Amino acid sequence: MSTPSARESVRELLPQVRLRHWGRWVIAAVILVILGALAYGASQGDISWRDIPYYVISPIILQGLVNTIILAVAAQVSAVILGVIIALMRISENPVAKWFAAAYTWLFRGLPVLLQILLWYNLALIFPRLQLGIPFTDVVFVDLSTNAVMTTFVAAFLGLMLNESAYMAEIVRAGLNSVDRGQIEAAQSIGETPLQRMWRIVLPQAMRVIIPPTGNDFINMLKGTAMASVIGYVELIRAANNIASFNLQVMETLIAAAFWYMVIVSVASVGQSYLERSFDRSDRARGGPTRRARRRLARDLVTPPLVRSHP
Amino acid sequence: MTNIHPGTVGQAEPQRPLRPLLDAVRVSKHYGSNEVLKDVSLQVAAGEVVCIIGPSGAGKSTFLRCINRLEVPDAGEVWVDGQAMGFEERDGKLYELTERKLSKQRASTGMVFQHFNLFPHLTVLGNVMEGPVRVQKRASRTVDAEARAVLERVGLGDKIDSYPSQLSGGQRQRVAIARAVAMKPLFLLFDEPTSALDPELVGEVLTVMAGLAADGMTMLVVTHEMGFAREVADRVVFMADGGIVEQGTVDEVLVNPREARTKRFLERVLA
Ligand SMILES: Nc1ncnc2c1ncn2[C@@H]1O[C@H](COP(=O)(O)OP(=O)(O)O)[C@@H](O)[C@H]1O
Ligand SMILES: [Mg+2]
């Protein structure tokens, strides 16, 4: 114990006066005042709040809710499948497939979804009949009226799905590229076929990159179905408008629709984090730190407790 | 040395068969204008341990990868146990195989990589069972028992349920060796299996490899570990500039090299 630093200090501990964060109190107070004013303002509005719960469970709104969910799920699921196919074409060795995939993405990502929906819905204006047959012969297997095929659902589905599939192709491609080349080589070295490599080795690892943006896209898809109201598909907003066209309670019915959007978006968010977790176990021990514990750890690393100014 | 081999491939006869197990014939490969392999030929007999040494960029990795056709040679043939890798021999011609059939062929060879390349989403046991179950379509009950035995013998019997990320480098490489061995391959290719390891972890991997060699496994090992080559190799091959400069026994190549390039290389690595 000869070095000075190893000796114990004789200094008395002095009382410490912590920094007061006056600014935080002021900002919090301002926010609460603004919220209070808004709530008061809302209560003064010419709106019958009492009717809203009735609209929330009205059969027309519920049918709109079901139609919204059907359209969103159908479009998203198809977009994922198509997106995987386009992504595989994009990374393939075939120059024509590569080119096609790039052009596909460029086209369907570039056009506004609403425009695509309108184009599909009005297809009959340029192609009154849809035929499947052998060109330059009289052989026709299928011959349908375009208007019979292109219902509001089909048009909205095509518009939303094709646009989303272009985004999915990019997401899947990023996911596949995120997997180390050595993984494919290791799978090759034990004799796995291309399909096995993709299915057993590459996709499970790519999922960790693919799922978060796909979840975000699905949430956007749930809301994007609102565009189908323009061509008369009875999803939530159209359902709300249909009621309002009888009784003029426009805001009440729209707020009922808004309620359901919040519910399905929240449910989708929970589902997303659940999925993410189940594909995230690769770098985690069974019984190792949970995701929340790791998040806390990461936060603590950013703000080491020792230098915190606040207890 | 503990017996670390599952025993099915282990009882190779010491005398050399007439036909080499592995016969690489005038293999060439270039990337752009870079001639990486120039007419490289090498034969390996069953049970033989051949170490390939040489400076970085000599084409050692590329040669190994041409053998199991991770890389497609521009010219030349690789014959494994009487079959041309990547081809089907019919009426005096070699017809290129589909990727699917090539995969089947590859299952008879094993490879251990510098960076392990374990499957991070599978447990240690899952990594070892993947090939036998998915590729060889063997019953997972018997494979499970065998995989546990192989892992036991590389000293990882207690890590079966761990994920690769929870293991040290030395442990990961031993799992990678177990994964290759579990396929009961005709031979094993090692591409600098200890180069990515911390120095104190090199020994445990070399011990496992020496055990395999003692069990009679045919091995082609690219390595910078001269001590390992001296003790385990039946033959040492010195490669430089895309070709084999000289080859022979440990004494011939490592102790009394004939070529000036070999001498210079050995002086550098042994300094
Ligand atoms: N995929 C590739 N593309 C282009 N050049 C490559 C590729 N792989 C290896 N090479 C080149 O080939 C030469 C030999 O590489 P390699 O076989 O890895 O040598 P070694 O393993 O002996 O160090 C090097 O010059 C390297 O840059
Ligand atoms: Mg190399």
Side-chain angles (χ1 to χ4, degrees):
Chain A
M1 297 294 152
S2 57
T3 55
S5 59
R7 251 185 288 141
E8 205 154 299
S9 176
V10 291
R11 193 184 285 277
E12 293 273 319
L13 288 178
L14 298 176
Q16 299 179 351
V17 180
R18 295 287 170 153
L19 185 62
R20 302 273 163 167
H21 296 277
W22 296 113
R24 288 182 194 169
W25 286 101
V26 171
I27 290 169
V30 169
I31 292 172
L32 290 175
V33 166
I34 291 174
L35 282 180
L38 284 174
Y40 176 76
S43 69
Q44 297 303 298
D46 185 11
I47 187 168
S48 48
W49 293 102
R50 252 179 247 164
D51 292 341
I52 292 175
Y54 163 75
Y55 289 128
V56 164
I57 54 162
S58 81
I60 296 178
I61 290 284
L62 288 180
Q63 184 60 52
L65 172 68
V66 170
N67 286 348
T68 287
I69 293 173
I70 288 174
L71 180 57
V73 170
Q76 189 70 41
V77 169
S78 312
V80 168
I81 294 167
L82 203 53
V84 170
I85 294 169
I86 299 293
L88 290 176
M89 290 170 88
R90 191 80 186 261
I91 62 170
S92 79
E93 311 262 315
N94 187 331
V96 175
K98 259 177 141 69
W99 170 86
F100 174 82
Y104 180 97
T105 308
W106 174 75
L107 180 67
F108 287 109
R109 208 170 52 163
L111 295 173
V113 181
L114 185 54
L115 178 79
Q116 295 187 47
I117 292 175
L118 290 171
L119 285 178
W120 287 115
Y121 190 56
N122 293 300
L123 195 66
L125 296 180
I126 47 175
F127 300 114
R129 301 202 72 77
L130 296 177
Q131 296 183 332
L132 186 66
I134 301 170
F136 314 117
T137 65
D138 292 333
V139 183
V140 174
F141 306 116
V142 185
D143 181 11
L144 296 163
S145 147
T146 303
N147 273 330
V149 175
M150 205 50 75
T151 60
T152 55
F153 173 82
V154 172
F157 167 80
L158 283 176
L160 289 164
M161 186 273 275
L162 292 172
N163 176 260
E164 176 59 17
S165 71
Y167 281 95
M168 280 311 306
E170 292 296 288
I171 291 171
V172 172
R173 183 163 74 113
L176 297 179
N177 282 340
S178 75
V179 179
D180 180 23
R181 211 143 164 108
Q183 290 293 309
I184 299 168
E185 292 180 353
Q188 281 178 303
S189 79
I190 56 171
E192 294 204 332
T193 62
L195 205 66
Q196 287 175 320
R197 280 175 232 154
M198 184 54 70
W199 195 246
R200 297 278 313 161
I201 305 301
V202 176
L203 271 183
Q205 295 183 60
M207 280 304 176
R208 311 178 57 196
V209 174
I210 292 173
I211 284 179
T214 305
N216 286 339
D217 275 19
F218 179 58
I219 286 167
N220 274 331
M221 177 66 81
L222 284 169
K223 295 175 291 181
T225 53
M227 278 180 283
S229 64
V230 172
I231 56 170
Y233 178 69
V234 188
E235 40 65 69
L236 269 171
I237 289 183
R238 190 67 175 209
N241 284 340
N242 284 350
I243 299 176
S245 66
F246 285 107
N247 60 16
L248 300 182
Q249 287 202 306
V250 175
M251 284 302 267
E252 288 82 354
T253 51
L254 282 179
I255 289 172
F259 169 83
W260 279 119
Y261 278 117
M262 293 313 296
V263 169
I264 55 181
V265 165
S266 304
V267 169
S269 302
V270 171
Q272 178 186 13
S273 55
Y274 181 81
L275 260 184
E276 263 178 53
R277 220 167 314 152
S278 68
F279 273 101
D280 197 27
R281 44 161 201 222
S282 60
D283 60 347
R284 195 186 52 188
R286 267 179 227 162
T290 60
R291 162 177 284 258
R292 185 176 300 163
R294 278 185 295 152
R295 227 181 249 156
R296 210 182 309 127
L297 192 69
R299 205 175 50 219
D300 289 347
L301 287 175
V302 175
T303 349
L306 287 177
V307 295
R308 266 190 212 159
S309 60
H310 221 55
Chain B
M1 195 58 61
T2 50
N3 176 33
I4 57 166
H5 203 261
T8 41
V9 198
Q11 283 74 34
E13 294 296 314
Q15 82 260 21
R16 293 186 185 180
L18 292 173
R19 195 176 61 185
L21 180 62
L22 171 64
D23 191 1
V25 192
R26 302 182 60 188
V27 174
S28 296
K29 177 80 189 172
H30 69 88
Y31 295 109
S33 61
N34 185 7
E35 296 267 359
V36 177
L37 291 177
K38 303 161 192 161
D39 270 357
V40 180
S41 298
L42 183 73
Q43 297 194 336
V44 180
E48 213 182 358
V49 176
V50 177
C51 283
I52 302 181
I53 60 171
S56 162
K60 307 181 297 295
S61 297
T62 307
F63 182 54
L64 235 52
R65 296 156 58 80
C66 280
I67 289 175
N68 64 355
R69 225 175 160 79
L70 289 187
E71 216 69 71
V72 178
D74 300 325
E77 295 162 9
V78 175
W79 293 79
V80 172
D81 199 25
Q83 286 191 13
M85 281 298 286
F87 292 98
E88 191 175 23
E89 191 182 5
R90 248 188 292 131
D91 29 83
K93 281 188 188 147
L94 292 180
Y95 293 87
E96 190 170 4
L97 292 177
T98 62
E99 184 70 26
R100 247 185 93 78
K101 287 189 176 156
L102 169 62
S103 302
K104 294 237 166 65
Q105 254 186 350
R106 272 205 201 97
S108 64
T109 71
M111 191 169 206
V112 175
F113 301 87
Q114 181 175 352
H115 296 289
F116 330 128
N117 297 351
L118 292 179
F119 305 130
H121 58 301
L122 302 179
T123 61
V124 165
L125 190 64
N127 268 274
V128 177
M129 289 179 62
E130 177 73 13
V133 172
R134 302 287 160 178
V135 175
Q136 295 174 332
K137 314 272 186 212
R138 297 172 50 214
S140 58
R141 180 106 53 86
T142 47
V143 172
D144 184 276
E146 278 182 26
R148 284 168 194 273
V150 176
L151 283 166
E152 200 70 55
R153 285 171 183 184
V154 299
L156 292 171
D158 55 338
K159 297 289 182 190
I160 277 171
D161 291 324
S162 302
Y163 283 89
S165 60
Q166 300 169 289
L167 304 179
S168 74
Q171 291 170 331
R172 288 183 205 185
Q173 196 59 298
R174 286 187 277 151
V175 174
I177 294 172
R179 175 176 68 183
V181 167
M183 294 289 290
K184 303 178 182 172
L186 293 169
F187 59 81
L188 284 179
L189 305 168
F190 293 82
D191 191 2
E192 300 197 29
T194 58
S195 292
L197 297 179
D198 291 336
E200 77 270 19
L201 302 177
V202 168
E204 61 190 63
V205 172
L206 292 181
T207 304
V208 166
M209 290 169 59
L212 281 177
D215 284 358
M217 174 61 88
T218 311
M219 293 161 57
L220 188 52
V221 185
V222 174
T223 186
H224 292 299
E225 297 291 333
M226 294 303 154
F228 175 82
R230 202 171 291 134
E231 277 187 30
V232 178
D234 297 312
R235 182 153 44 112
V236 177
V237 174
F238 175 67
M239 274 184 79
D241 291 330
I244 292 176
V245 177
E246 69 177 300
Q247 58 175 305
T249 61
V250 170
D251 270 349
E252 286 164 348
V253 177
L254 294 185
V255 184
N256 303 305
R258 274 173 291 128
E259 301 289 328
R261 271 199 288 184
T262 320
K263 283 179 194 158
R264 254 182 286 133
F265 172 76
L266 288 174
E267 273 163 24
R268 217 155 14 88
V269 294
L270 297 176

